[in-house]
Amino acid sequence: MKWSAVPLVAGRALQRHPMRTFLTALGIIIGVGAVITMVGLGQGARHEVEEQVNRLGQNVVLVFPGARQLGGVSIGGGQANTLTIEDALAIRDEIPEVVAASPEVRSQRVVVYGNRNWFTRIYGQSADYLQIRQWPMESGAMFTEEDVDRAALVAVVGQTIVDELFEGADPIGESIRVRGLPLTVIGVLAPKGMSLMGSVQDDIIVVPYTTAFQRISGRSHAMVINVQVYDQASMGIAQDKITDLLRERHRLAPHQENDFTVQTQEEVAQAATETSRIMTVLLASIAAISLFVGGIGIMNVMLVSVTERTREIGLRLSVGARGRDVLAQFLIEAVVLCLLGGIGGILLGLTSTNLIAAYAGWPALFSREAMVVAVSVSAAVGLFFGFYPAWKAARLDPIVALRRE
Amino acid sequence: MSHRLIELQGVTRVYRTEAIAVEALRGIDLSVDAGELMAIMGASGSGKSTLMNVLGCLDRPTTGSYHLGGRDVSALSKDELARIRNQTVGFVFQNFNLLPRTSARENVELPLLYTPEPLSWREIRARAREALEIVGLADRSHHTPAELSGGQQQRVAIARALVTRPRLLLADEPTGNLDSRTGLEVMDVIQRLNDDGLTVLMVTHEPDIATFASRTVVLRDGLVRADRRTRPRRAAHVLQDWQEDDDVVLPPELDEIGAADGAGPAAGVERTDEAEPTEVRA
């Protein structure tokens, strides 16, 4: 048969009932639009997570106290008291691949400046913490090793602190109070934005860990040790060496499990992206259900169309169309209908993703692949749901079909 | 020059439902030479529609053989039958069966979309135009069926049947839905096509229409009961007479009666002259 005539015939048939065509395509439009929106938002979230993990720093190994938790991830942690400051120093000094190590202790405290106060997180870190995190300074300077050694009362503050406590004024040289303890602000961190867990990373005060341990938190053990390794290739070796070193220092017998967890930045990233991936899959499957319902609409309308056009089918058969020609015609018609819906769905998806991204402030990402997939999926929906009606049309007896009123 | 186009031998067609078997054709022997214009008559239930379906390769005989153009087509596959319907046979239906909201040209092009070897669009356009010219409707090619009169619609349907240049034209009550005058016009087209060598078989229940055929076969209860050759009336002549009658100004409601009068005597004359049964099968 003449194949180039098939899409023309399909287009003509769809033109004949514009409202019906539109409403049927609407099912696919909404389905494809929903899938594109969900995948777009999901990919945006994932991209954002990856960015943030990269912002965590380069070649970073995190050592958490306590055994590896179920699911392989321990991000907050810090419950067990197994990591000491000495452990951190030993990691830095005894493992050649390690460039820097910072024992971290966090506390949440009210900070006072003048008559204003602000509830924030105070991080005790070593002098090379900003290097590990790849976190530049906005103004002023980071505290030094010397400050750490003598537990100096100095602080480096994040952008949120500048905004909330100093109302945007230059805080350098000013004195803030934590539980009556005066800290002199010596530097401001560059703004960093939201973290993996959704908290504002700029809402932070960094002080020497000695100061934090002795005068603020009242703890004696590190919640995390941030370790920077020399280069990417040394990550594995460094991990093994850290494990060996800590096992030795903690005097663990061979049968005993580690009382700490060593994770690379990639492992943390994987965990985080896994979470966002699961969310994406979940959202996309809900959206796929609406695409499926749209497909059922296609099937319904095609069945109606086959019934309505029984005589046309009979006529085509009587002038020499074979069953498979009729099958192809109705299949292509369903596919054309779905493709129209697919194109409309892409437009709807792009629009709604943009709107959601703009109003809710969520990151969104569209990939060309998502659109190609959306269009091919809608064509596949057409083939799948169009097949039964088309098959019904193809096996009509021309005599019976011609006689039908 | 004349050779066998159709050869039916002992053709039966039995429709089976769970409970009963209906014998629509009970053993038809029939041969038709190329170039004949044959009318098939019979009461409803006589099997003429079933015979038409078998002849048109829409249906297969239950037993017996059917040779079309020397080829046994009684046991062909569905796809091979479709090919014959496309290439060898043209159909004209009582209710025209044109696609609605589709131009005359596209209606005529329809069979060309299903040719075994796809034609170029240029060829398709040219052949549709040629077929419309044959039925005198080239200037109506962009009109949809709703914009055409009944007679014009049937002529479009004839053009559609001709467009694949078939050897056999099957017409099922081609004038059944038309008034007498347009019926005559359609018969005139059919007769002219027959003059050019096209074999035509038409089912009709109007004896009047059968008089335009060179041969009339009568079916009853699934068997051929009569088969006679006659000298056909020319539809063109009847139309001419008609126009003379038309000059007499008749009130509109008498038009119909006038038409019957005009056609009646002419038919009567020819029947008495020539209508001798040449062959009768019981």
Side-chain angles (χ1 to χ4, degrees), chain B residues 33-258:
Chain B
D33 290 339
E36 284 196 85
L37 199 173
M38 189 171 99
I40 299 172
M41 299 194 66
S44 48
S46 61
K48 57 186 194 301
S49 293
T50 308
L51 178 60
M52 219 42 177
N53 291 336
V54 170
L55 288 171
C57 294
L58 286 165
D59 201 358
R60 278 175 288 206
T62 309
T63 60
S65 73
Y66 172 23
H67 285 79
L68 178 62
R71 183 179 181 200
D72 186 1
V73 296
S74 38
L76 292 183
S77 73
K78 274 183 147 185
D79 283 1
E80 286 167 316
L81 289 178
R83 188 183 173 126
I84 288 173
R85 291 198 296 270
N86 183 252
Q87 294 288 290
T88 315
V89 185
F91 287 95
V92 175
F93 305 94
Q94 177 175 2
N95 49 18
F96 326 136
N97 271 329
L98 298 176
L99 294 182
R101 280 169 281 198
T102 305
S103 72
R105 194 199 72 209
E106 284 174 286
N107 264 294
V108 174
E109 284 171 358
L110 191 65
L112 298 179
L113 303 181
Y114 300 109
T115 51
E117 281 81 34
L119 303 170
S120 70
W121 279 113
R122 184 193 296 267
E123 175 81 3
I124 288 174
R125 293 269 181 281
R127 283 173 69 166
R129 181 159 191 87
E130 181 191 54
L132 279 168
E133 271 165 9
I134 291 173
V135 299
L137 284 176
D139 55 334
R140 296 280 193 277
S141 62
H142 294 291
H143 293 221
T144 63
E147 296 163 345
L148 297 169
S149 71
Q152 287 171 330
Q153 289 186 49
Q154 192 60 300
R155 274 146 71 194
V156 171
I158 292 172
R160 179 182 63 200
L162 294 177
V163 78
T164 54
R165 296 170 186 157
R167 299 168 66 187
L168 176 63
L169 183 74
L170 293 175
D172 189 357
E173 304 266 12
T175 61
N177 276 13
L178 302 172
D179 62 60
S180 329
R181 195 200 152 96
T182 34
L184 280 173
E185 286 168 0
V186 165
M187 280 316 299
D188 180 42
V189 171
I190 289 175
Q191 279 189 326
R192 283 192 287 113
L193 293 169
N194 182 243
D195 293 343
D196 294 339
L198 181 68
T199 311
V200 181
L201 267 64
M202 59 177 182
V203 164
T204 181
H205 64 263
E206 297 169 76
D208 227 34
I209 292 299
T211 58
F212 296 109
S214 57
R215 181 179 172 196
T216 304
V217 164
V218 180
L219 295 186
R220 198 192 311 139
D221 300 332
L223 288 170
V224 175
R225 294 293 179 176
D227 183 347
R228 51 178 180 260
R229 289 173 194 277
T230 50
R231 212 190 76 208
R233 273 197 307 157
R234 295 296 297 184
H237 297 162
V238 182
L239 273 170
Q240 239 168 25
D241 294 346
W242 190 293
Q243 269 146 6
E244 282 156 22
D245 279 356
D246 229 22
D247 290 340
V248 185
V249 181
L250 288 172
E253 65 270 19
L254 292 180
D255 235 339
E256 195 82 85
I257 300 160

